[in-house]
Amino acid sequence: MNTDPARQFEDALASQIQRVRDEAEISPPDRARAVALARQALSAGVGSKTIPLLAALNRKLPVDTEIVTLHGVALRLEQKLVEAAEVFAAAQGAGSDDPVVLQGLAQTRYELGLPAATLFAEVQRVNPGNLDILRNRAAAMAAEGDRAGAMELLLAALGTNPGWLDGHKVLTSLRWTGGDRHGFASSYADAARVEPGNAAVWLAWFSAVAQTHDWEQVRAILAEAEAHLGITAAILSAQLFTACEGDDPVRAEALLAKTAHITGDTINLCRIRHALRQDRFEAARDLIQPQLGGASAGLFWPYASLAWRLLNDARAQWLDRPEVTIQSRTIGLNVAEMAELGEILRALHSMEQPYAEQTVRGGTQTDRSIMLRHEPILQRTRTAWLEAIAANIAGLPAPELGHPFLREARSQLLLGGSWSVRLRAAGHNVPHTHPIGWMSSSLYVAIPDAAARGPAPAGHITFGTPPPELGLELAPYCSIAPEPGLVVTFPSAMWHAVEPFAAGERLMIALDIRPPQF
């Protein structure tokens, strides 16, 4: 008798698949058992194993909303968006008018880069009070070129829902990326005056403006917030952040004492970054150490690297190991495919400027996850790129217990995000990390020739350089000269940057691989 729970689960799935395939019609009890097993698989995080069962059920019951939804969800979890859209569309074509199915189709088409605004509008007519649907409709409208209509839709909703933070965030992003550097956050200001006691609105307004480093306006927002709300832990934390990042070390010292009782990731990062700025490397190390075992460890490993390097601690080499964790190889695409890829990417760079929170300077960055889109060349690129990444993963050192990058599970390659960056003359990326990823990768599509970009390391990707605002004297580990078709992989927690170059176009795609699961 097999007592292995995983094997028993797989046997149960196989039995259900065979039963569904064999029966001419699915009885209600069999349907209920199959659906319960599929839900169990999804809850256990093994959605890929339930896809064949749900596909078999879906063929027999094409307008069963629950089965269609579960099938679509399972495919989406495996990032098979083309197949998920086909499942939702087939149900609609077979006569399903359920808004859940329509919403699944709309959301999946939007993520694929296909028109979806009209579908979201249909869903919204059934659920007129659902602000999440309205937000997604506005995002789809903007993606399809109707930015003015999207902003008008959001403004109307915010007029009756001034505390709707998601609406403010989308509207603010549309305004900023459309080139509005002054009035981009005005909806927050209007809402704060309508609901002056709403702390969440004040703090969201503060965060939106702080991302632009307009410290004078940030201080004015916090002063006004304090006048309405009094001194709260959140306002003290925001004031500390402003003092640290706005280069006011004397005020930062005073606020560090006032905020000693406050906990949280943001304030811990403030303390660590301030200690590094003040050359208190031992203090920074001691602040970092307790954070490395928590749920937010990805935020703190990059700072552990800096503190350990500055203290000549051997753990820096144990953590980073650039000689083996940074790898490169050529992707399996020919010259014509690379040219086609470049044309697709250029058409997607429609913003006037990148999102305020992004690290791009002198260029633009695309929205949504670009490698999940529907275009065949992007689908082929994704397959070839993941093959290159898998080959690099196979070349990594053996797993090590406790290491954030050299973990045991390495087989599941799901994207945590993907985007394209297009830089022009003097364009660059400031040093940064990708806290939500495990492994990150760059794929270079078009590069200025050596004469145009200037002497090395112009246009290179560099590793190990700390953010300049910390004032730390640490040389980069290395730099890599980009070439069309080159794939570079590296730990998401490693500091990296793009060096400025003199002239030309530097076009690339980047992605993060999610932390693999066992």
Side-chain angles (χ1 to χ4, degrees), residues 247-317:
D247 195 24
D248 190 349
V250 174
R251 181 159 170 74
E253 288 290 338
L255 285 165
L256 282 168
K258 288 184 179 181
T259 58
H261 63 290
I262 300 174
T263 59
D265 293 339
T266 299
I267 202 160
N268 283 331
L269 286 172
C270 285
R271 292 165 181 150
I272 291 164
R273 286 171 63 89
H274 180 74
L276 290 171
R277 281 188 174 98
Q278 301 305 308
D279 296 339
R280 300 173 190 164
F281 305 141
E282 294 87 353
R285 175 200 61 201
D286 295 342
L287 288 165
I288 293 164
Q289 191 62 44
Q291 311 304 322
L292 298 181
S296 302
L299 294 171
F300 298 97
W301 282 112
Y303 292 97
S305 169
L306 297 180
W308 290 341
R309 289 169 68 192
L310 290 161
L311 292 168
N312 295 315
D313 189 316
R315 288 178 293 179
Q317 173 61 22

Side-chain angles (χ1 to χ4, degrees), residues 50 64 93 134 238 287 346 388 391 483 490 503 515:
T50 199
D64 186 314
L134 189 150
L287 288 165
R346 291 183 184 96
E483 294 295 337
F490 52 93

